Amino acid sequence: MLEVRFNQQLTMDPRGRVTLPARLRNALETHRISSLVFIVHGQRLRGYTPKDFAERVEAPLLADDAFDPYHDEKQILRLGSACEIDVDRQGRMVVPAELREMANLGENIVVVSLLDRVEIWNQPDFRAAFEEAARRRDTLGGVGG
């Protein structure tokens, strides 16, 4: 991705407008990237640069056996919600209503950088997922201190 690290609580207005964290805005500007591709994954949005999306999401689907009985369903699940969202010069973007609804996003969100992607969560859902992972720390290999 863009090698930025952040976890930031933000607000999204009723039209879906959000200003991205400064670290992400700066990285996008430095790499001259003006959009991110988002997909719904569970109760969150996963966002990739267009190049990373092609390599990490689309390419594996293209490599799958076209005669696999689940091939079409895999593509629908991964690509059916895909949306390339423009980021303006001030680092703002508008998340479409359908994606907001599918990911249960409200006014209070968390934008977090995770290795190869960014994710946008509804704040209570992120907190619950984080707390659940913390409870399972030992079974997850002691990750997280």
Side-chain angles (χ1 to χ4, degrees):
M1 179 73 175
L2 298 170
E3 298 181 13
V4 292
R5 288 140 190 91
F6 57 85
N7 173 327
Q8 193 165 346
Q9 295 180 19
L10 299 171
T11 57
M12 182 182 304
D13 77 11
R15 293 185 180 171
R17 291 180 293 206
V18 62
T19 300
L20 296 172
R23 288 179 185 261
L24 179 56
R25 290 193 316 259
N26 292 339
L28 290 170
E29 185 178 316
T30 298
H31 290 87
R32 296 186 177 159
I33 297 170
S34 61
S35 65
L36 293 170
V37 182
F38 286 90
I39 57 173
V40 176
H41 184 80
Q43 290 292 315
R44 62 189 172 272
L45 296 181
R46 283 187 168 182
Y48 302 85
T49 65
K51 180 180 183 247
D52 287 338
F53 186 78
E55 292 172 0
R56 301 199 43 87
V57 178
E58 293 173 326
L61 290 171
L62 287 170
D64 278 353
D65 177 4
F67 295 102
D68 174 342
Y70 302 109
H71 180 74
D72 290 346
E73 289 176 347
K74 289 177 190 176
Q75 287 189 346
I76 289 170
L77 283 173
R78 288 275 159 62
L79 304 175
S81 64
C83 182
E84 188 163 354
I85 300 175
D86 292 329
V87 178
D88 71 14
R89 290 180 189 222
Q90 287 76 39
R92 299 173 302 201
M93 65 179 194
V94 178
V95 179
E98 183 175 354
L99 291 185
R100 295 193 314 265
E101 183 180 320
M102 292 171 75
N104 191 34
L105 298 178
E107 179 182 4
N108 297 310
I109 60 172
V110 175
V111 180
V112 61
S113 171
L114 296 172
L115 300 176
D116 65 339
R117 63 189 181 274
V118 297
E119 291 190 347
I120 302 176
W121 290 72
N122 184 24
Q123 188 178 40
D125 291 341
F126 179 79
R127 184 170 292 132
F130 187 88
E131 289 171 0
E132 178 61 25
R135 279 192 289 280
R136 297 175 22 144
R137 181 174 294 137
D138 291 338
T139 59
L140 296 172
V143 174

